[in-house]
Amino acid sequence: MITTADDCPNKWDCPSVHDLDVAPERRYVVSKLATAAEHAVFRDLLEAGDIVGWLPAGFLDERNALFDRARHVTGEVLDPARRYVITSAVRDPRVLAHFGDLVSRNEQLGTVPVRDLAVIA
């Protein structure tokens, strides 16, 4: 597993990105939960199974396609220090088992195609 969790002082309460050998075509994103007000701003962009969350600005290279769906969305409730992301919710218990307690109560696990998150540095 490749992870950015090691870059965080408290890996149990920090966004992170992961590769899993069982799904090499996907990347897994632990993002912070959006507030209800933030979520409402993105409602029209969400498809079935999508979730919206956020990562701290500067956490990932902003050239990543991961940010494209939310990049130009604006609203008073959106925090400029956050980079909002729309991912597919992970519901597969076999995948969730890989993350154990790495996802805290104020976080969520989503997935994107590897091409959407090609630049981890």
Side-chain angles (χ1 to χ4, degrees), residues 49-107:
D50 283 349
I51 54 177
V52 61
W54 63 271
L55 304 170
F59 179 72
L60 292 172
D61 190 304
E62 301 214 11
R63 294 174 294 173
N64 280 299
L66 168 69
F67 299 110
D68 287 353
R69 286 176 66 192
R71 189 179 309 275
H72 300 292
V73 175
T74 60
E76 285 184 22
V77 299
L78 300 181
D79 185 333
R82 296 177 176 182
R83 295 300 175 258
Y84 295 91
V85 295
I86 298 171
T87 59
S88 298
V90 175
R91 306 269 189 249
D92 184 336
R94 295 170 298 169
V95 173
L96 291 169
H98 284 280
F99 292 88
D101 61 355
L102 195 60
V103 181
S104 71
R105 287 180 289 173
N106 65 342
E107 295 176 324

Short mmCIF file of all heavy atoms in Angstrom, two decimals, residues 49-107:
data_model
loop_
_atom_site.label_atom_id
_atom_site.label_comp_id
_atom_site.label_asym_id
_atom_site.label_seq_id
_atom_site.Cartn_x
_atom_site.Cartn_y
_atom_site.Cartn_z
N GLY A 49 -24.11 7.30 -5.51
CA GLY A 49 -22.91 6.71 -4.93
C GLY A 49 -21.78 7.68 -4.68
O GLY A 49 -20.75 7.31 -4.12
N ASP A 50 -21.93 8.94 -5.11
CA ASP A 50 -20.88 9.93 -4.89
C ASP A 50 -20.94 10.52 -3.49
O ASP A 50 -22.02 10.63 -2.90
CB ASP A 50 -21.02 11.10 -5.88
CG ASP A 50 -20.52 10.78 -7.27
OD1 ASP A 50 -19.86 9.73 -7.45
OD2 ASP A 50 -20.79 11.59 -8.18
N ILE A 51 -19.78 10.91 -3.00
CA ILE A 51 -19.69 11.63 -1.73
C ILE A 51 -18.80 12.85 -1.95
O ILE A 51 -17.95 12.85 -2.83
CB ILE A 51 -19.10 10.74 -0.60
CG1 ILE A 51 -17.76 10.13 -1.01
CG2 ILE A 51 -20.09 9.67 -0.19
CD1 ILE A 51 -17.07 9.30 0.07
N VAL A 52 -19.03 13.88 -1.16
CA VAL A 52 -18.20 15.08 -1.24
C VAL A 52 -17.48 15.23 0.10
O VAL A 52 -18.05 15.01 1.16
CB VAL A 52 -19.02 16.34 -1.59
CG1 VAL A 52 -20.07 16.65 -0.56
CG2 VAL A 52 -18.12 17.53 -1.79
N GLY A 53 -16.21 15.52 0.01
CA GLY A 53 -15.39 15.73 1.20
C GLY A 53 -14.38 16.82 0.90
O GLY A 53 -14.47 17.49 -0.14
N TRP A 54 -13.43 16.97 1.79
CA TRP A 54 -12.41 17.98 1.55
C TRP A 54 -11.05 17.53 2.06
O TRP A 54 -10.95 16.68 2.93
CB TRP A 54 -12.80 19.33 2.15
CG TRP A 54 -12.96 19.36 3.63
CD1 TRP A 54 -14.10 19.09 4.34
CD2 TRP A 54 -11.95 19.65 4.60
NE1 TRP A 54 -13.85 19.21 5.69
CE2 TRP A 54 -12.56 19.56 5.88
CE3 TRP A 54 -10.60 19.99 4.51
CZ2 TRP A 54 -11.84 19.79 7.06
CZ3 TRP A 54 -9.90 20.22 5.69
CH2 TRP A 54 -10.52 20.12 6.95
N LEU A 55 -10.03 18.12 1.46
CA LEU A 55 -8.64 17.92 1.83
C LEU A 55 -8.04 19.30 2.11
O LEU A 55 -8.48 20.29 1.52
CB LEU A 55 -7.87 17.26 0.69
CG LEU A 55 -8.42 15.93 0.18
CD1 LEU A 55 -7.71 15.54 -1.11
CD2 LEU A 55 -8.29 14.86 1.22
N PRO A 56 -7.05 19.39 2.96
CA PRO A 56 -6.42 20.70 3.19
C PRO A 56 -5.74 21.20 1.91
O PRO A 56 -5.17 20.41 1.16
CB PRO A 56 -5.37 20.42 4.27
CG PRO A 56 -5.69 19.08 4.82
CD PRO A 56 -6.46 18.34 3.79
N ALA A 57 -5.81 22.50 1.67
CA ALA A 57 -5.11 23.09 0.53
C ALA A 57 -3.63 22.74 0.64
O ALA A 57 -3.05 22.76 1.72
CB ALA A 57 -5.30 24.60 0.52
N GLY A 58 -3.02 22.37 -0.48
CA GLY A 58 -1.61 22.01 -0.49
C GLY A 58 -1.33 20.56 -0.15
O GLY A 58 -0.19 20.12 -0.26
N PHE A 59 -2.34 19.81 0.23
CA PHE A 59 -2.14 18.40 0.58
C PHE A 59 -1.74 17.58 -0.64
O PHE A 59 -0.87 16.73 -0.55
CB PHE A 59 -3.42 17.85 1.21
CG PHE A 59 -3.34 16.40 1.60
CD1 PHE A 59 -2.56 16.01 2.67
CD2 PHE A 59 -4.04 15.44 0.90
CE1 PHE A 59 -2.48 14.68 3.03
CE2 PHE A 59 -3.97 14.12 1.26
CZ PHE A 59 -3.18 13.73 2.33
N LEU A 60 -2.38 17.84 -1.77
CA LEU A 60 -2.07 17.15 -3.03
C LEU A 60 -1.85 18.18 -4.12
O LEU A 60 -2.37 19.29 -4.06
CB LEU A 60 -3.23 16.24 -3.44
CG LEU A 60 -3.48 15.02 -2.57
CD1 LEU A 60 -4.77 14.35 -3.02
CD2 LEU A 60 -2.32 14.04 -2.65
N ASP A 61 -1.12 17.79 -5.12
CA ASP A 61 -0.90 18.64 -6.28
C ASP A 61 -2.25 18.96 -6.92
O ASP A 61 -3.03 18.06 -7.23
CB ASP A 61 0.00 17.90 -7.27
CG ASP A 61 0.49 18.79 -8.38
OD1 ASP A 61 -0.36 19.38 -9.08
OD2 ASP A 61 1.72 18.87 -8.56
N GLU A 62 -2.51 20.22 -7.12
CA GLU A 62 -3.82 20.65 -7.61
C GLU A 62 -4.03 20.40 -9.10
O GLU A 62 -5.12 20.64 -9.62
CB GLU A 62 -4.06 22.10 -7.24
CG GLU A 62 -3.97 22.25 -5.73
CD GLU A 62 -4.88 23.28 -5.14
OE1 GLU A 62 -5.77 23.79 -5.84
OE2 GLU A 62 -4.70 23.55 -3.95
N ARG A 63 -3.02 19.89 -9.78
CA ARG A 63 -3.19 19.51 -11.18
C ARG A 63 -3.94 18.19 -11.32
O ARG A 63 -4.38 17.84 -12.41
CB ARG A 63 -1.83 19.38 -11.86
CG ARG A 63 -1.09 20.70 -11.97
CD ARG A 63 0.30 20.50 -12.51
NE ARG A 63 1.07 19.74 -11.53
CZ ARG A 63 2.29 19.28 -11.72
NH1 ARG A 63 2.90 19.49 -12.87
NH2 ARG A 63 2.93 18.62 -10.78
N ASN A 64 -4.11 17.47 -10.23
CA ASN A 64 -4.82 16.20 -10.27
C ASN A 64 -6.26 16.38 -10.72
O ASN A 64 -6.96 17.29 -10.27
CB ASN A 64 -4.81 15.53 -8.90
CG ASN A 64 -3.51 14.83 -8.62
OD1 ASN A 64 -3.13 13.91 -9.34
ND2 ASN A 64 -2.79 15.26 -7.60
N ALA A 65 -6.72 15.48 -11.58
CA ALA A 65 -8.11 15.51 -12.05
C ALA A 65 -9.10 15.27 -10.91
O ALA A 65 -10.28 15.57 -11.05
CB ALA A 65 -8.30 14.48 -13.16
N LEU A 66 -8.63 14.75 -9.80
CA LEU A 66 -9.49 14.55 -8.62
C LEU A 66 -10.24 15.84 -8.27
O LEU A 66 -11.38 15.80 -7.83
CB LEU A 66 -8.62 14.12 -7.43
CG LEU A 66 -9.27 14.12 -6.05
CD1 LEU A 66 -10.32 13.02 -5.96
CD2 LEU A 66 -8.23 13.95 -4.97
N PHE A 67 -9.63 16.96 -8.48
CA PHE A 67 -10.22 18.25 -8.10
C PHE A 67 -11.14 18.84 -9.18
O PHE A 67 -11.83 19.82 -8.93
CB PHE A 67 -9.13 19.27 -7.77
CG PHE A 67 -8.27 18.85 -6.61
CD1 PHE A 67 -6.96 18.47 -6.81
CD2 PHE A 67 -8.77 18.83 -5.32
CE1 PHE A 67 -6.15 18.08 -5.74
CE2 PHE A 67 -7.99 18.45 -4.25
CZ PHE A 67 -6.67 18.07 -4.46
N ASP A 68 -11.14 18.28 -10.38
CA ASP A 68 -11.82 18.90 -11.52
C ASP A 68 -13.32 19.11 -11.31
O ASP A 68 -13.84 20.17 -11.63
CB ASP A 68 -11.60 18.10 -12.80
CG ASP A 68 -10.19 18.26 -13.33
OD1 ASP A 68 -9.41 19.09 -12.78
OD2 ASP A 68 -9.84 17.52 -14.28
N ARG A 69 -14.03 18.13 -10.79
CA ARG A 69 -15.49 18.26 -10.66
C ARG A 69 -15.89 19.37 -9.70
O ARG A 69 -16.93 19.99 -9.86
CB ARG A 69 -16.11 16.94 -10.22
CG ARG A 69 -16.13 15.93 -11.34
CD ARG A 69 -16.65 14.60 -10.91
NE ARG A 69 -18.06 14.62 -10.54
CZ ARG A 69 -18.65 13.61 -9.93
NH1 ARG A 69 -17.97 12.52 -9.60
NH2 ARG A 69 -19.93 13.68 -9.61
N ALA A 70 -15.07 19.64 -8.71
CA ALA A 70 -15.41 20.65 -7.70
C ALA A 70 -14.62 21.95 -7.85
O ALA A 70 -14.90 22.92 -7.16
CB ALA A 70 -15.17 20.06 -6.31
N ARG A 71 -13.69 21.96 -8.76
CA ARG A 71 -12.72 23.07 -8.86
C ARG A 71 -13.36 24.45 -8.98
O ARG A 71 -12.92 25.40 -8.36
CB ARG A 71 -11.79 22.81 -10.05
CG ARG A 71 -10.63 23.78 -10.11
CD ARG A 71 -9.71 23.49 -11.28
NE ARG A 71 -9.26 22.13 -11.41
CZ ARG A 71 -8.20 21.59 -10.78
NH1 ARG A 71 -7.51 22.32 -9.93
NH2 ARG A 71 -7.85 20.34 -10.99
N HIS A 72 -14.38 24.62 -9.77
CA HIS A 72 -14.92 25.95 -10.04
C HIS A 72 -16.21 26.26 -9.29
O HIS A 72 -16.88 27.24 -9.57
CB HIS A 72 -15.12 26.14 -11.55
CG HIS A 72 -13.82 25.99 -12.30
ND1 HIS A 72 -12.79 26.90 -12.20
CD2 HIS A 72 -13.37 25.01 -13.12
CE1 HIS A 72 -11.77 26.50 -12.94
NE2 HIS A 72 -12.10 25.35 -13.51
N VAL A 73 -16.54 25.41 -8.34
CA VAL A 73 -17.74 25.63 -7.53
C VAL A 73 -17.43 26.70 -6.49
O VAL A 73 -16.37 26.69 -5.86
CB VAL A 73 -18.18 24.32 -6.85
CG1 VAL A 73 -19.34 24.56 -5.92
CG2 VAL A 73 -18.53 23.27 -7.91
N THR A 74 -18.33 27.64 -6.33
CA THR A 74 -18.14 28.70 -5.36
C THR A 74 -19.37 28.79 -4.46
O THR A 74 -20.45 28.34 -4.82
CB THR A 74 -17.93 30.07 -6.04
OG1 THR A 74 -19.07 30.37 -6.84
CG2 THR A 74 -16.68 30.06 -6.90
N GLY A 75 -19.18 29.36 -3.31
CA GLY A 75 -20.28 29.57 -2.39
C GLY A 75 -19.77 30.16 -1.10
O GLY A 75 -18.62 29.93 -0.72
N GLU A 76 -20.61 30.93 -0.45
CA GLU A 76 -20.21 31.58 0.79
C GLU A 76 -19.77 30.60 1.87
O GLU A 76 -18.92 30.93 2.69
CB GLU A 76 -21.38 32.42 1.35
CG GLU A 76 -21.60 33.70 0.61
CD GLU A 76 -22.69 34.53 1.26
OE1 GLU A 76 -22.97 34.34 2.46
OE2 GLU A 76 -23.27 35.36 0.56
N VAL A 77 -20.36 29.41 1.88
CA VAL A 77 -20.05 28.46 2.96
C VAL A 77 -18.77 27.68 2.70
O VAL A 77 -18.30 26.96 3.59
CB VAL A 77 -21.22 27.47 3.19
CG1 VAL A 77 -22.47 28.21 3.59
CG2 VAL A 77 -21.45 26.60 1.96
N LEU A 78 -18.19 27.81 1.51
CA LEU A 78 -16.99 27.04 1.19
C LEU A 78 -15.75 27.72 1.77
O LEU A 78 -15.55 28.92 1.61
CB LEU A 78 -16.85 26.86 -0.32
CG LEU A 78 -18.01 26.13 -0.99
CD1 LEU A 78 -17.74 25.98 -2.47
CD2 LEU A 78 -18.25 24.77 -0.34
N ASP A 79 -14.92 26.94 2.41
CA ASP A 79 -13.71 27.43 3.07
C ASP A 79 -12.56 27.45 2.06
O ASP A 79 -12.22 26.41 1.49
CB ASP A 79 -13.38 26.49 4.24
CG ASP A 79 -12.21 26.95 5.08
OD1 ASP A 79 -11.33 27.67 4.56
OD2 ASP A 79 -12.16 26.56 6.25
N PRO A 80 -11.92 28.59 1.83
CA PRO A 80 -10.84 28.66 0.84
C PRO A 80 -9.60 27.85 1.23
O PRO A 80 -8.74 27.59 0.38
CB PRO A 80 -10.51 30.16 0.77
CG PRO A 80 -11.07 30.75 2.01
CD PRO A 80 -12.21 29.89 2.44
N ALA A 81 -9.49 27.43 2.47
CA ALA A 81 -8.36 26.60 2.89
C ALA A 81 -8.62 25.11 2.64
O ALA A 81 -7.77 24.28 2.93
CB ALA A 81 -8.07 26.83 4.37
N ARG A 82 -9.79 24.80 2.10
CA ARG A 82 -10.15 23.41 1.81
C ARG A 82 -10.22 23.20 0.31
O ARG A 82 -10.63 24.08 -0.44
CB ARG A 82 -11.52 23.08 2.42
CG ARG A 82 -11.54 23.16 3.91
CD ARG A 82 -12.92 22.89 4.46
NE ARG A 82 -12.88 22.87 5.91
CZ ARG A 82 -13.93 22.63 6.68
NH1 ARG A 82 -15.11 22.38 6.15
NH2 ARG A 82 -13.80 22.63 8.00
N ARG A 83 -9.80 22.01 -0.12
CA ARG A 83 -9.97 21.61 -1.51
C ARG A 83 -11.01 20.49 -1.51
O ARG A 83 -10.79 19.43 -0.96
CB ARG A 83 -8.66 21.13 -2.13
CG ARG A 83 -7.62 22.22 -2.22
CD ARG A 83 -8.10 23.38 -3.09
NE ARG A 83 -7.14 24.47 -3.10
CZ ARG A 83 -7.29 25.58 -2.39
NH1 ARG A 83 -8.32 25.75 -1.57
NH2 ARG A 83 -6.40 26.55 -2.47
N TYR A 84 -12.14 20.77 -2.12
CA TYR A 84 -13.26 19.85 -2.11
C TYR A 84 -13.07 18.78 -3.19
O TYR A 84 -12.58 19.06 -4.28
CB TYR A 84 -14.56 20.62 -2.29
CG TYR A 84 -14.80 21.54 -1.11
CD1 TYR A 84 -14.35 22.84 -1.12
CD2 TYR A 84 -15.43 21.07 0.04
CE1 TYR A 84 -14.52 23.67 -0.02
CE2 TYR A 84 -15.60 21.89 1.14
CZ TYR A 84 -15.15 23.19 1.10
OH TYR A 84 -15.31 24.00 2.19
N VAL A 85 -13.48 17.57 -2.86
CA VAL A 85 -13.34 16.43 -3.77
C VAL A 85 -14.64 15.64 -3.80
O VAL A 85 -15.33 15.52 -2.79
CB VAL A 85 -12.17 15.51 -3.36
CG1 VAL A 85 -10.84 16.24 -3.49
CG2 VAL A 85 -12.32 14.97 -1.96
N ILE A 86 -14.94 15.13 -4.98
CA ILE A 86 -16.09 14.25 -5.16
C ILE A 86 -15.53 12.89 -5.54
O ILE A 86 -14.80 12.77 -6.53
CB ILE A 86 -17.05 14.78 -6.23
CG1 ILE A 86 -17.61 16.15 -5.80
CG2 ILE A 86 -18.16 13.78 -6.49
CD1 ILE A 86 -18.40 16.86 -6.87
N THR A 87 -15.85 11.90 -4.74
CA THR A 87 -15.35 10.54 -4.97
C THR A 87 -16.52 9.57 -4.90
O THR A 87 -17.62 9.94 -4.49
CB THR A 87 -14.30 10.15 -3.91
OG1 THR A 87 -14.89 10.24 -2.61
CG2 THR A 87 -13.08 11.08 -3.97
N SER A 88 -16.28 8.34 -5.29
CA SER A 88 -17.29 7.29 -5.14
C SER A 88 -17.13 6.66 -3.76
O SER A 88 -16.03 6.28 -3.37
CB SER A 88 -17.09 6.20 -6.20
OG SER A 88 -17.24 6.75 -7.49
N ALA A 89 -18.23 6.57 -3.04
CA ALA A 89 -18.20 6.00 -1.70
C ALA A 89 -17.75 4.54 -1.75
O ALA A 89 -18.16 3.78 -2.64
CB ALA A 89 -19.57 6.09 -1.04
N VAL A 90 -16.91 4.14 -0.82
CA VAL A 90 -16.47 2.76 -0.71
C VAL A 90 -17.41 2.05 0.26
O VAL A 90 -17.55 2.45 1.41
CB VAL A 90 -15.01 2.66 -0.21
CG1 VAL A 90 -14.62 1.21 0.02
CG2 VAL A 90 -14.08 3.32 -1.21
N ARG A 91 -18.06 1.00 -0.23
CA ARG A 91 -19.00 0.24 0.60
C ARG A 91 -18.60 -1.24 0.72
O ARG A 91 -19.15 -1.95 1.52
CB ARG A 91 -20.40 0.31 0.00
CG ARG A 91 -20.90 1.72 -0.25
CD ARG A 91 -21.67 2.25 0.93
NE ARG A 91 -22.31 3.52 0.60
CZ ARG A 91 -21.95 4.68 1.11
NH1 ARG A 91 -20.96 4.74 1.95
NH2 ARG A 91 -22.56 5.79 0.77
N ASP A 92 -17.63 -1.66 -0.09
CA ASP A 92 -17.20 -3.06 -0.10
C ASP A 92 -16.50 -3.40 1.21
O ASP A 92 -15.45 -2.83 1.51
CB ASP A 92 -16.26 -3.28 -1.28
CG ASP A 92 -15.82 -4.73 -1.46
OD1 ASP A 92 -15.84 -5.50 -0.47
OD2 ASP A 92 -15.45 -5.08 -2.59
N PRO A 93 -17.06 -4.32 2.00
CA PRO A 93 -16.45 -4.65 3.28
C PRO A 93 -15.02 -5.18 3.17
O PRO A 93 -14.20 -4.97 4.06
CB PRO A 93 -17.37 -5.73 3.87
CG PRO A 93 -18.51 -5.87 2.96
CD PRO A 93 -18.27 -5.06 1.74
N ARG A 94 -14.69 -5.83 2.05
CA ARG A 94 -13.33 -6.34 1.88
C ARG A 94 -12.33 -5.20 1.74
O ARG A 94 -11.22 -5.26 2.25
CB ARG A 94 -13.26 -7.27 0.67
CG ARG A 94 -14.10 -8.54 0.84
CD ARG A 94 -14.21 -9.30 -0.45
NE ARG A 94 -14.91 -8.42 -1.41
CZ ARG A 94 -15.01 -8.66 -2.69
NH1 ARG A 94 -14.42 -9.70 -3.22
NH2 ARG A 94 -15.67 -7.84 -3.49
N VAL A 95 -12.73 -4.13 1.04
CA VAL A 95 -11.85 -2.97 0.90
C VAL A 95 -11.81 -2.20 2.21
O VAL A 95 -10.74 -1.80 2.67
CB VAL A 95 -12.32 -2.06 -0.26
CG1 VAL A 95 -11.52 -0.78 -0.29
CG2 VAL A 95 -12.20 -2.80 -1.59
N LEU A 96 -12.96 -2.01 2.83
CA LEU A 96 -13.02 -1.28 4.10
C LEU A 96 -12.14 -1.94 5.16
O LEU A 96 -11.53 -1.25 5.98
CB LEU A 96 -14.46 -1.17 4.59
CG LEU A 96 -15.37 -0.27 3.76
CD1 LEU A 96 -16.82 -0.45 4.17
CD2 LEU A 96 -14.94 1.18 3.86
N ALA A 97 -12.03 -3.25 5.11
CA ALA A 97 -11.21 -3.98 6.09
C ALA A 97 -9.74 -3.59 6.00
O ALA A 97 -9.03 -3.62 7.00
CB ALA A 97 -11.37 -5.48 5.89
N HIS A 98 -9.28 -3.20 4.82
CA HIS A 98 -7.89 -2.78 4.67
C HIS A 98 -7.59 -1.50 5.44
O HIS A 98 -6.44 -1.22 5.76
CB HIS A 98 -7.55 -2.53 3.19
CG HIS A 98 -7.36 -3.78 2.40
ND1 HIS A 98 -6.20 -4.50 2.42
CD2 HIS A 98 -8.20 -4.43 1.56
CE1 HIS A 98 -6.32 -5.56 1.63
NE2 HIS A 98 -7.52 -5.53 1.10
N PHE A 99 -8.60 -0.72 5.71
CA PHE A 99 -8.40 0.58 6.33
C PHE A 99 -8.60 0.58 7.84
O PHE A 99 -8.20 1.51 8.51
CB PHE A 99 -9.28 1.63 5.65
CG PHE A 99 -8.83 1.89 4.25
CD1 PHE A 99 -9.30 1.13 3.19
CD2 PHE A 99 -7.88 2.85 3.99
CE1 PHE A 99 -8.85 1.33 1.90
CE2 PHE A 99 -7.41 3.07 2.71
CZ PHE A 99 -7.90 2.30 1.66
N GLY A 100 -9.20 -0.49 8.37
CA GLY A 100 -9.35 -0.61 9.81
C GLY A 100 -9.78 0.68 10.46
O GLY A 100 -10.79 1.27 10.09
N ASP A 101 -8.99 1.15 11.42
CA ASP A 101 -9.34 2.37 12.14
C ASP A 101 -8.67 3.61 11.55
O ASP A 101 -8.61 4.65 12.19
CB ASP A 101 -9.00 2.23 13.62
CG ASP A 101 -7.51 2.01 13.86
OD1 ASP A 101 -6.77 1.87 12.88
OD2 ASP A 101 -7.11 1.99 15.03
N LEU A 102 -8.20 3.53 10.31
CA LEU A 102 -7.53 4.66 9.67
C LEU A 102 -8.51 5.79 9.31
O LEU A 102 -8.12 6.93 9.14
CB LEU A 102 -6.79 4.20 8.41
CG LEU A 102 -5.77 5.15 7.82
CD1 LEU A 102 -4.66 5.45 8.83
CD2 LEU A 102 -5.17 4.56 6.56
N VAL A 103 -9.80 5.45 9.20
CA VAL A 103 -10.82 6.44 8.87
C VAL A 103 -11.55 6.80 10.16
O VAL A 103 -12.23 5.98 10.75
CB VAL A 103 -11.81 5.89 7.82
CG1 VAL A 103 -12.86 6.94 7.47
CG2 VAL A 103 -11.08 5.44 6.57
N SER A 104 -11.41 8.05 10.59
CA SER A 104 -12.03 8.46 11.86
C SER A 104 -13.49 8.88 11.64
O SER A 104 -13.98 8.91 10.52
CB SER A 104 -11.23 9.60 12.50
OG SER A 104 -11.39 10.79 11.75
N ARG A 105 -14.16 9.23 12.72
CA ARG A 105 -15.59 9.58 12.65
C ARG A 105 -15.86 10.82 11.81
O ARG A 105 -16.96 10.97 11.30
CB ARG A 105 -16.15 9.79 14.05
CG ARG A 105 -16.32 8.49 14.82
CD ARG A 105 -16.87 8.76 16.17
NE ARG A 105 -15.79 9.41 16.93
CZ ARG A 105 -15.93 9.92 18.11
NH1 ARG A 105 -17.08 9.90 18.72
NH2 ARG A 105 -14.89 10.48 18.73
N ASN A 106 -14.91 11.70 11.65
CA ASN A 106 -15.14 12.91 10.85
C ASN A 106 -14.53 12.80 9.45
O ASN A 106 -14.28 13.79 8.79
CB ASN A 106 -14.58 14.15 11.57
CG ASN A 106 -13.08 14.12 11.72
OD1 ASN A 106 -12.45 13.07 11.60
ND2 ASN A 106 -12.48 15.27 11.97
N GLU A 107 -14.31 11.55 9.02
CA GLU A 107 -13.73 11.29 7.71
C GLU A 107 -14.57 10.25 6.96
O GLU A 107 -15.45 9.62 7.54
CB GLU A 107 -12.30 10.77 7.84
CG GLU A 107 -11.35 11.79 8.43
CD GLU A 107 -9.96 11.25 8.66
OE1 GLU A 107 -9.82 10.06 9.02
OE2 GLU A 107 -9.02 12.02 8.47
#
